[in-house]
């Protein structure tokens, strides 16, 4: 029965290491038992705190107010003629353009009114459309 070269504990015949101190059993007597070499662990770097990303905003500067393009409101007689011959179109144009094109609206409405009056007169006289 062999003995541990380090601590002297008796070992079984097939033992590879001492059960008391962990020394390899195959070390010859008189030689120091060398412990397995272990690489020292790399020091752990502390994690850098995560900095929140600050969004960058640019402030828009408006020197001039935004304006819509000017609407051409000439009040052309053509809308009155259209309203005269087709009164329903003149009435629709008058109502649609009431705020955006007041001059054209007025001319189309007057043309539609005159056209309806003429149609009513012709109808009462017997020749209506």
């Amino acid at each position: 029965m062999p003995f541990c070269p380090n601590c002297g504990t008796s070992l079984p015949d097939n033992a590879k290491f001492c059960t008391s101190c962990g020394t390899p059993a195959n070390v010859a007597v008189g030689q120091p038992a060398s412990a397995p070499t272990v690489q020292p662990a790399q020091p752990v770097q502390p994690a850098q705190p995560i900095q929140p990303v600050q969004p960058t905003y640019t402030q828009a500067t408006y020197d001039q107010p935004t304006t819509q393009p000017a609407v051409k409101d000439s009040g052309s007689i053509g809308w009155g003629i259209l309203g005269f011959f087709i009164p329903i179109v003149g009435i629709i144009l008058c109502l649609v353009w009431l705020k955006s094109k007041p001059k054209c609206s007025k001319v189309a409405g007057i043309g539609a009114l005159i056209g309806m009056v003429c149609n009513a007169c012709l109808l009462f006289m017997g020749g209506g459309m």
Side-chain angles (χ1 to χ4, degrees):
M1 185 176 266
F3 293 96
C4 174
N6 189 32
C7 66
T9 307
S10 65
L11 300 174
D13 291 334
N14 59 356
K16 293 182 180 179
F17 294 96
C18 174
T19 56
S20 294
C21 66
T23 304
N26 58 2
V27 175
V29 177
Q31 291 183 348
S34 61
T37 58
V38 177
Q39 295 282 338
Q42 295 290 332
V44 177
Q45 296 288 334
Q48 296 293 330
I50 297 174
Q51 298 294 328
V53 176
Q54 295 295 327
T56 56
Y57 297 105
T58 57
Q59 184 173 2
T61 57
Y62 298 103
D63 294 335
Q64 297 175 351
T66 57
T67 58
Q68 294 182 355
V71 177
K72 186 177 179 185
D73 186 22
S74 62
S76 173
I77 191 69
W79 298 117
I81 293 171
L82 179 68
F84 175 79
F85 286 109
I86 310 172
I88 190 72
V89 173
I91 292 171
I92 291 172
L93 289 177
C94 178
L95 295 174
V96 170
W97 286 341
L98 197 58
K99 301 249 180 185
S100 62
K101 294 182 174 184
K103 290 180 185 175
C104 290
S105 172
K106 183 178 179 182
V107 170
I110 291 173
L113 185 62
I114 293 172
M116 286 192 303
V117 169
C118 289
N119 265 339
C121 289
L122 288 174
L123 184 66
F124 286 129
M125 291 185 183
M129 289 183 153

